[in-house]
Amino acid sequence: MKKIYFLLFVVILCVQQTDAQFLKDAKKLLNAKGKGLTEKDAADGIREALVNGTGESVKVVSVLNGYWGNAEIKIPFPPEAQEMESKLRTIGMGKKVDEFNESMNRAAEKAATEAKPIFVTAIKEMTVRDAINIVKGENNAATVYLKNTTSPQLIGKFQPVIKTSLDNVNATKYWNDLITIYNKMPLVKKMNPNLSEYVTQKAIDGLFIMIAKEELKIRKDPMARTSDLLKRVFGS
Protein backbone atom coordinates (compact mmCIF):
# COMPACT_ATOMS: atom_id res chain seq x y z
CA MET A 1 0.00 0.00 0.00
CA LYS A 2 1.36 3.43 -0.89
CA LYS A 3 2.24 5.56 2.10
CA ILE A 4 -0.45 8.09 2.88
CA TYR A 5 2.00 10.96 3.24
CA PHE A 6 3.28 10.34 -0.29
CA LEU A 7 -0.24 10.46 -1.73
CA LEU A 8 -0.97 13.71 0.05
CA PHE A 9 2.37 15.15 -1.06
CA VAL A 10 1.41 14.43 -4.69
CA VAL A 11 -1.89 16.23 -4.19
CA ILE A 12 -0.14 19.32 -2.85
CA LEU A 13 2.43 19.40 -5.64
CA CYS A 14 -0.10 18.97 -8.40
CA VAL A 15 -3.09 21.04 -7.30
CA GLN A 16 -3.32 24.67 -6.15
CA GLN A 17 -6.30 24.90 -3.81
CA THR A 18 -7.86 26.46 -0.73
CA ASP A 19 -7.72 24.77 2.68
CA ALA A 20 -11.30 23.53 2.34
CA GLN A 21 -10.68 22.16 -1.13
CA PHE A 22 -7.44 20.57 0.06
CA LEU A 23 -9.25 18.58 2.73
CA LYS A 24 -12.03 17.62 0.33
CA ASP A 25 -9.57 16.33 -2.26
CA ALA A 26 -7.47 14.63 0.39
CA LYS A 27 -10.54 12.78 1.64
CA LYS A 28 -11.41 11.65 -1.89
CA LEU A 29 -7.86 10.44 -2.48
CA LEU A 30 -7.73 8.60 0.82
CA ASN A 31 -11.10 6.94 0.28
CA ALA A 32 -10.21 5.94 -3.24
CA LYS A 33 -6.71 4.62 -2.67
CA GLY A 34 -6.34 4.17 1.07
CA LYS A 35 -8.95 1.45 1.74
CA GLY A 36 -11.51 3.77 3.25
CA LEU A 37 -9.13 6.06 5.11
CA THR A 38 -10.36 9.59 5.79
CA GLU A 39 -8.48 12.73 6.69
CA LYS A 40 -9.54 12.04 10.30
CA ASP A 41 -7.81 8.65 10.06
CA ALA A 42 -4.67 10.40 8.87
CA ALA A 43 -4.89 12.90 11.73
CA ASP A 44 -5.55 10.17 14.29
CA GLY A 45 -2.63 8.19 12.90
CA ILE A 46 -0.30 11.16 13.30
CA ARG A 47 -1.55 11.78 16.83
CA GLU A 48 -1.01 8.13 17.74
CA ALA A 49 2.45 8.15 16.19
CA LEU A 50 3.37 11.29 18.12
CA VAL A 51 2.07 9.96 21.44
CA ASN A 52 4.07 6.77 20.86
CA GLY A 53 7.20 8.59 19.71
CA THR A 54 7.25 11.21 22.43
CA GLY A 55 6.42 8.63 25.09
CA GLU A 56 9.27 6.43 23.98
CA SER A 57 11.67 9.38 23.82
CA VAL A 58 10.77 10.53 27.33
CA LYS A 59 11.18 6.98 28.61
CA VAL A 60 14.63 6.66 27.02
CA VAL A 61 16.05 9.92 28.40
CA SER A 62 14.44 9.85 31.86
CA VAL A 63 16.21 6.72 33.09
CA LEU A 64 19.67 6.46 34.66
CA ASN A 65 22.23 7.38 31.97
CA GLY A 66 19.49 8.58 29.62
CA TYR A 67 21.58 11.69 29.02
CA TRP A 68 24.87 10.88 30.71
CA GLY A 69 25.27 7.59 28.84
CA ASN A 70 24.18 8.88 25.42
CA ALA A 71 26.99 10.67 23.57
CA GLU A 72 24.47 12.21 21.16
CA ILE A 73 22.63 14.22 23.83
CA LYS A 74 25.04 14.20 26.79
CA ILE A 75 25.16 17.69 28.30
CA PRO A 76 28.72 19.07 28.16
CA PHE A 77 30.39 21.66 30.33
CA PRO A 78 28.85 25.10 29.59
CA PRO A 79 30.60 26.44 26.46
CA GLU A 80 31.32 29.84 28.00
CA ALA A 81 33.05 28.02 30.86
CA GLN A 82 35.26 25.71 28.81
CA GLU A 83 38.36 27.75 29.57
CA MET A 84 37.47 27.41 33.22
CA GLU A 85 37.15 23.62 32.80
CA SER A 86 40.55 23.43 31.15
CA LYS A 87 42.29 25.52 33.82
CA LEU A 88 40.65 23.55 36.65
CA ARG A 89 41.84 20.28 35.15
CA THR A 90 45.39 21.58 34.94
CA ILE A 91 45.43 22.23 38.69
CA GLY A 92 44.18 18.74 39.58
CA MET A 93 40.45 19.47 39.80
CA GLY A 94 39.50 17.00 37.04
CA LYS A 95 37.53 14.73 39.39
CA LYS A 96 35.43 17.63 40.64
CA VAL A 97 34.81 18.78 37.08
CA ASP A 98 33.67 15.27 36.08
CA GLU A 99 31.38 15.04 39.13
CA PHE A 100 29.79 18.34 38.18
CA ASN A 101 29.36 17.31 34.54
CA GLU A 102 27.67 14.05 35.54
CA SER A 103 25.40 15.83 38.01
CA MET A 104 24.07 18.15 35.26
CA ASN A 105 23.04 15.13 33.23
CA ARG A 106 21.43 13.47 36.24
CA ALA A 107 19.35 16.60 36.75
CA ALA A 108 18.19 16.45 33.12
CA GLU A 109 17.22 12.80 33.52
CA LYS A 110 15.09 13.64 36.57
CA ALA A 111 13.36 16.55 34.82
CA ALA A 112 12.56 14.71 31.57
CA THR A 113 9.48 12.97 32.98
CA GLU A 114 7.75 16.38 33.09
CA ALA A 115 7.67 16.48 29.29
CA LYS A 116 5.14 13.73 28.56
CA PRO A 117 1.91 15.47 29.66
CA ILE A 118 2.97 18.65 27.81
CA PHE A 119 3.43 16.70 24.60
CA VAL A 120 0.13 14.83 25.02
CA THR A 121 -1.77 18.11 25.47
CA ALA A 122 -0.18 19.62 22.34
CA ILE A 123 -0.93 16.48 20.33
CA LYS A 124 -4.59 16.45 21.41
CA GLU A 125 -4.94 20.09 20.36
CA MET A 126 -3.53 19.40 16.89
CA THR A 127 -5.95 20.22 14.08
CA VAL A 128 -6.65 17.97 11.10
CA ARG A 129 -4.85 20.50 8.92
CA ASP A 130 -1.79 20.40 11.20
CA ALA A 131 -1.76 16.61 11.05
CA ILE A 132 -2.06 16.44 7.27
CA ASN A 133 0.72 19.00 6.89
CA ILE A 134 2.88 16.77 9.06
CA VAL A 135 2.00 13.69 6.98
CA LYS A 136 3.07 15.41 3.78
CA GLY A 137 6.02 17.21 5.38
CA GLU A 138 9.69 16.46 5.88
CA ASN A 139 10.87 13.51 7.93
CA ASN A 140 11.12 15.75 11.01
CA ALA A 141 7.87 17.70 10.42
CA ALA A 142 6.20 16.35 13.57
CA THR A 143 9.26 17.14 15.67
CA VAL A 144 9.37 20.70 14.34
CA TYR A 145 5.64 21.09 15.04
CA LEU A 146 6.08 19.94 18.64
CA LYS A 147 9.15 22.11 19.14
CA ASN A 148 7.25 25.18 17.93
CA THR A 149 4.16 24.49 20.04
CA THR A 150 5.64 23.16 23.28
CA SER A 151 9.01 24.84 23.87
CA PRO A 152 7.72 27.65 26.16
CA GLN A 153 5.74 25.16 28.27
CA LEU A 154 8.70 22.79 28.42
CA ILE A 155 11.01 25.54 29.62
CA GLY A 156 8.46 26.60 32.22
CA LYS A 157 8.08 23.03 33.49
CA PHE A 158 11.69 21.93 33.17
CA GLN A 159 13.49 24.87 34.74
CA PRO A 160 12.14 24.60 38.31
CA VAL A 161 12.59 20.82 38.22
CA ILE A 162 16.11 21.23 36.83
CA LYS A 163 16.94 23.76 39.54
CA THR A 164 15.66 21.43 42.26
CA SER A 165 17.41 18.46 40.66
CA LEU A 166 20.68 20.38 40.38
CA ASP A 167 20.45 21.05 44.10
CA ASN A 168 19.49 17.44 44.92
CA VAL A 169 22.33 15.87 42.93
CA ASN A 170 24.83 18.42 44.27
CA ALA A 171 25.42 20.02 40.88
CA THR A 172 24.79 23.48 42.34
CA LYS A 173 27.32 22.83 45.09
CA TYR A 174 29.90 21.47 42.63
CA TRP A 175 29.32 24.45 40.36
CA ASN A 176 29.64 26.99 43.15
CA ASP A 177 32.80 25.27 44.39
CA LEU A 178 34.33 25.29 40.91
CA ILE A 179 33.31 28.88 40.24
CA THR A 180 34.79 29.98 43.57
CA ILE A 181 38.10 28.22 42.90
CA TYR A 182 38.30 29.50 39.32
CA ASN A 183 37.41 33.09 40.16
CA LYS A 184 40.23 33.16 42.71
CA MET A 185 42.79 32.27 40.06
CA PRO A 186 44.94 35.19 38.82
CA LEU A 187 44.37 36.80 35.43
CA VAL A 188 41.04 35.11 34.68
CA LYS A 189 37.76 36.71 33.70
CA LYS A 190 35.29 36.23 36.55
CA MET A 191 32.17 34.30 35.56
CA ASN A 192 29.01 32.72 36.87
CA PRO A 193 26.75 31.52 34.00
CA ASN A 194 23.12 30.70 34.79
CA LEU A 195 23.39 26.96 35.32
CA SER A 196 19.69 26.07 35.45
CA GLU A 197 18.94 27.93 32.19
CA TYR A 198 21.82 26.18 30.45
CA VAL A 199 20.90 22.67 31.63
CA THR A 200 17.19 23.27 30.90
CA GLN A 201 17.85 24.23 27.29
CA LYS A 202 20.31 21.39 26.71
CA ALA A 203 17.89 18.89 28.25
CA ILE A 204 15.09 20.06 25.93
CA ASP A 205 17.40 20.02 22.90
CA GLY A 206 18.40 16.45 23.68
CA LEU A 207 14.79 15.37 24.08
CA PHE A 208 13.89 16.72 20.63
CA ILE A 209 16.86 14.92 19.10
CA MET A 210 15.42 11.67 20.42
CA ILE A 211 11.89 12.55 19.25
CA ALA A 212 13.20 13.21 15.73
CA LYS A 213 14.79 9.75 15.72
CA GLU A 214 11.51 8.15 16.81
CA GLU A 215 9.60 10.06 14.13
CA LEU A 216 11.98 8.90 11.43
CA LYS A 217 11.69 5.33 12.67
CA ILE A 218 7.87 5.38 12.41
CA ARG A 219 8.01 6.92 8.94
CA LYS A 220 10.64 4.55 7.58
CA ASP A 221 10.46 1.31 9.56
CA PRO A 222 7.32 -0.87 9.16
CA MET A 223 8.21 -2.69 12.39
CA ALA A 224 7.78 0.58 14.31
CA ARG A 225 4.10 0.81 13.31
CA THR A 226 2.63 -1.00 16.25
CA SER A 227 -1.10 -0.60 15.62
CA ASP A 228 -3.52 -1.26 12.78
CA LEU A 229 -4.15 2.48 12.40
CA LEU A 230 -0.45 3.28 12.02
CA LYS A 231 -0.13 0.50 9.45
CA ARG A 232 -3.12 1.84 7.51
CA VAL A 233 -1.86 5.42 7.56
CA PHE A 234 1.83 4.84 6.92
CA GLY A 235 1.66 1.55 5.07
CA SER A 236 2.28 -1.96 6.35
Side-chain angles (χ1 to χ4, degrees), residues 38 40 54 72 95 127 129 184 189 198 200 225 233 236:
T38 66
K40 182 180 181 300
T54 55
E72 193 171 12
K95 186 173 184 297
T127 67
R129 176 70 187 192
K184 287 180 178 177
K189 180 182 178 182
Y198 170 73
T200 295
R225 298 164 201 155
V233 171
S236 55

Side-chain angles (χ1 to χ4, degrees), residues 3 16 23 35 46 48 68 133 155 182 219:
K3 291 184 177 68
Q16 296 297 318
L23 291 176
K35 296 184 178 180
I46 283 294
E48 182 179 330
W68 181 242
N133 283 338
I155 291 170
Y182 178 76
R219 287 181 183 270

Side-chain angles (χ1 to χ4, degrees), residues 125-141:
E125 292 175 352
M126 180 185 293
T127 67
V128 171
R129 176 70 187 192
D130 290 331
I132 291 179
N133 283 338
I134 288 170
V135 172
K136 73 178 182 62
E138 300 294 331
N139 285 335
N140 67 340

Side-chain angles (χ1 to χ4, degrees), residues 1-162:
M1 184 179 72
K2 291 183 178 179
K3 291 184 177 68
I4 223 66
Y5 60 82
F6 176 76
L7 296 176
L8 290 169
F9 182 66
V10 171
V11 171
I12 291 299
L13 284 179
C14 297
V15 184
Q16 296 297 318
Q17 53 199 329
T18 65
D19 285 357
Q21 187 62 38
F22 169 80
L23 291 176
K24 184 177 176 183
D25 288 350
K27 183 174 181 178
K28 274 186 199 172
L29 184 60
L30 291 167
N31 283 334
K33 297 185 178 181
K35 296 184 178 180
L37 285 172
T38 66
E39 72 272 15
K40 182 180 181 300
D41 291 322
D44 287 344
I46 283 294
R47 292 188 185 105
E48 182 179 330
L50 283 175
V51 169
N52 290 350
T54 55
E56 183 62 27
S57 299
V58 169
K59 184 170 73 174
V60 166
V61 301
S62 61
V63 298
L64 185 67
N65 292 326
Y67 281 88
W68 181 242
N70 185 339
E72 193 171 12
I73 63 171
K74 180 179 177 180
I75 300 175
F77 213 86
E80 64 268 43
Q82 284 178 355
E83 182 180 351
M84 180 179 87
E85 176 187 13
S86 177
K87 285 184 178 295
L88 289 170
R89 289 189 185 279
T90 63
I91 62 170
M93 296 293 294
K95 186 173 184 297
K96 285 289 185 186
V97 169
D98 291 338
E99 287 174 344
F100 163 70
N101 205 346
E102 179 180 353
S103 66
M104 284 193 301
N105 286 270
R106 298 297 183 220
E109 290 160 9
K110 288 178 181 295
T113 54
E114 297 291 324
K116 188 172 182 179
I118 294 173
F119 288 137
V120 170
T121 297
I123 292 164
K124 285 181 178 177
E125 292 175 352
M126 180 185 293
T127 67
V128 171
R129 176 70 187 192
D130 290 331
I132 291 179
N133 283 338
I134 288 170
V135 172
K136 73 178 182 62
E138 300 294 331
N139 285 335
N140 67 340
T143 304
V144 171
Y145 173 85
L146 284 175
K147 194 168 188 178
N148 290 339
T149 56
T150 65
S151 286
Q153 297 96 311
L154 287 173
I155 291 170
K157 273 286 190 182
F158 267 49
Q159 193 153 355
V161 178
I162 288 283

